[in-house]
């Protein structure tokens, strides 16, 4: 189609990287592309932490649900939803009775961070640098807060690992759901049981006959492995604590 | 540099569109690029509502903080964080005592939705189709829930307007903060007052001497126009209600 569409469509989540370090020229292009991202009210309510320190990468590989490949990536970028600098600036500007950040600030800064992050992902991809999103950065809030020195009015919204594709790397594309179950016309369409069966048909056919979860079907497998897994419960807890810190207690208002 | 980096860097938020409708071929490419986006656990916890109905566009132009240009866009895409279909599928799979979605489900589906949305934005841009993010879709939860027929375990995380760039359109690029105040090495760096002054120096120089807000400086201007504005308070309220609906009451756990 065109180079942009091709880049988007050929991207995979890369978890194995070439030994070569990311060139400073390429990293500069990635970061500069990132900060060009659209941002609510041009406020850029995010910060980017660029991590190359081996010790920190190793710690993150453990705290982010024990995924050793994280430590082997060349650069980690953490995109932090950040109202802290705005609030510090507001204080400097002699604003009286500054209100504590609200859920609007939390969500807009999350959006800003994600959008900037995805600019980095696509820019990187176009330079032969693969990436993987690590949602687990939203777990273990207290540990990550301490590790990355995050102040209260921030939240680590997204993390990506980066590294060049290995030579002759064979990309495996994961199948997406049929677009008919994802894109709806004009209104949301609640899927009935027949539609849900069709949507998940391919997934059902590919589950192993025996599995360590005792799952009889794909739904039971994913519920156990993902939705109801220990890491999910930890992420739930962690985000609740983070939001309380960011907003001065969501439940008190 | 390359076509991808150029596309990312030349994008602006477009609020004025050519009269020409978006071709069905282009719209298909945009939506197919969107669903190729990375997604947590390959679960695609989002849905996309494609809106071309004039009445709905007009309503959204009012409910989204009264921005008439929204009604003049050719297509609106709303990216919905969506755990509803997973929960409906879990029921179909005979899972007992399915837990109500947690903040982990909420945030992962928000991330999924934003990332898919930004794939659409960049794919569109490469086809000469401009876009504008409308954060205001997170306001007026009850109204948007009714308008778009959103079930409880969903949330309208992002909305974009789309339309071709007008002929000979002169792009105006908005200045971003200097990258030194956005990208930090290894840890978060809390900015001291001197750094904050430097960060906001250009902004301070460009504020109008008289303004309807009685602001003496840029911080006071933005605090009044954005952070403490009525639409922000409404967004704060709206998101709290939405999260309670999505998680069955964040404060009860």
């Amino acid at each position: 189609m065109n180079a942009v569409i091709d880049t988007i469509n050929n991207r995979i989540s890369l978890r194995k990287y070439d030994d070569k370090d990311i060139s400073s020229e390429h990293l500069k292009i990635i970061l500069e592309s990132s900060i060009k991202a659209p941002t609510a009210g041009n406020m850029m309510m995010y910060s980017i932490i660029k991590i190359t320190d081996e010790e920190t990468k190793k710690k993150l590989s453990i705290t982010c649900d024990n995924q050793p490949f994280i430590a082997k990536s060349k650069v980690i970028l953490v995109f932090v939803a950040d109202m802290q600098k705005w609030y510090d600036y507001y204080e400097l500007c002699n604003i009286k009775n500054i209100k504590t950040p609200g859920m609007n600030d939390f969500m807009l800064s999350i959006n800003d961070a994600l959008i900037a992050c995805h600019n980095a992902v696509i820019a990187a991809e176009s330079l032969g640098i693969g990436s993987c999103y690590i949602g687990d950065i939203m777990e273990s809030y207290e540990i990550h807060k301490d590790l990355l020195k995050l102040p209260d009015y921030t939240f680590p919204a997204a993390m990506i690992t980066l590294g060049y594709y290995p030579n002759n790397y064979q990309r495996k594309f994961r199948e997406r759901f049929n677009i008919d179950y994802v894109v709806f016309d004009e209104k949301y369409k609640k899927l009935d049981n027949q539609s849900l069966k069709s949507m998940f048909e391919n997934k059902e056919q590919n589950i192993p006959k025996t599995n360590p979860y005792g799952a009889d079907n794909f739904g039971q497998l994913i519920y156990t492995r993902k939705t109801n897994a220990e890491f999910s419960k930890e992420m739930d807890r962690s985000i609740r604590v983070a939001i309380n810190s960011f907003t001065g207690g969501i439940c008190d208002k």
Side-chain angles (χ1 to χ4, degrees), chain A residues 14-17 51-78 132-137 139 144 159-163:
Chain A
L14 190 70
R15 293 181 178 84
K16 187 175 161 45
Y17 309 101
I51 298 163
T52 55
D53 178 66
E54 295 300 331
E55 201 54 44
T56 308
K57 288 198 283 184
K58 203 167 171 183
K59 282 182 184 163
L60 287 169
S61 78
I62 295 164
T63 58
C64 292
D65 204 31
N66 293 302
Q67 302 184 78
F69 84 87
I70 293 173
K72 293 183 181 162
S73 68
K74 294 300 168 181
V75 174
I76 292 173
L77 298 179
V78 177
C132 187
Y133 276 92
I134 310 291
D136 305 281
I137 191 65
E139 295 156 31
H144 292 142
M159 170 170 141
I160 50 172
T161 53
L162 294 171

Side-chain angles (χ1 to χ4, degrees), chain A residues 181 190-201:
Chain A
Y181 306 115
K190 201 152 181 316
L191 300 174
D192 60 19
N193 284 351
Q194 193 48 55
S195 302
L196 285 168
K197 274 181 191 157
S198 304
M199 176 177 172
F200 286 93
E201 196 172 16

Side-chain angles (χ1 to χ4, degrees), chain A residues 8 53 62 83 104 156 169:
Chain A
I8 287 174
D53 178 66
I62 295 164
M83 284 305 289
N104 56 313
Y169 187 79

Side-chain angles (χ1 to χ4, degrees), chain A residues 12 24 35 59 63-64 66 81 92-93 115 122 127 131 134 138 154 159 168 190 194-195 197 210 228 234-235 251-252:
Chain A
I12 52 151
S24 57
I35 68 166
K59 282 182 184 163
T63 58
C64 292
N66 293 302
L92 190 64
C93 287
I115 295 168
I122 294 175
L127 300 167
S131 57
I134 310 291
M138 294 190 288
T154 65
M159 170 170 141
N168 302 317
K190 201 152 181 316
Q194 193 48 55
S195 302
K197 274 181 191 157
T210 59
N228 201 36
E234 165 52 23
M235 192 186 290
C251 300
D252 302 336

Side-chain angles (χ1 to χ4, degrees), chain A residues 43 45 81-87 101 105 109 153-154 246:
Chain A
M43 286 175 73
M45 292 172 272
D82 188 359
M83 284 305 289
Q84 188 69 49
K85 47 189 157 190
W86 279 96
Y87 276 74
D105 300 305
S109 59
Y153 298 164
T154 65
F246 198 103

Side-chain angles (χ1 to χ4, degrees), chain A residues 4 7-8 11 26-39 44 46 48 77 79 110-131 133 158 160 162:
Chain A
V4 177
T7 299
I8 287 174
R11 182 194 174 277
H26 279 175
L27 196 53
K28 187 165 181 275
I29 293 169
I30 292 167
L31 292 167
E32 285 176 349
S33 298
S34 194
I35 68 166
K36 294 286 172 53
T39 154
M44 302 179 76
Y46 63 94
I48 307 170
L77 298 179
F79 287 75
I110 294 274
N111 288 10
D112 268 14
L114 260 299
I115 295 168
C117 184
H118 204 51
N119 255 15
V121 162
I122 294 175
E125 187 72 17
S126 79
L127 300 167
I129 296 167
S131 57
Y133 276 92
I160 50 172
L162 294 171

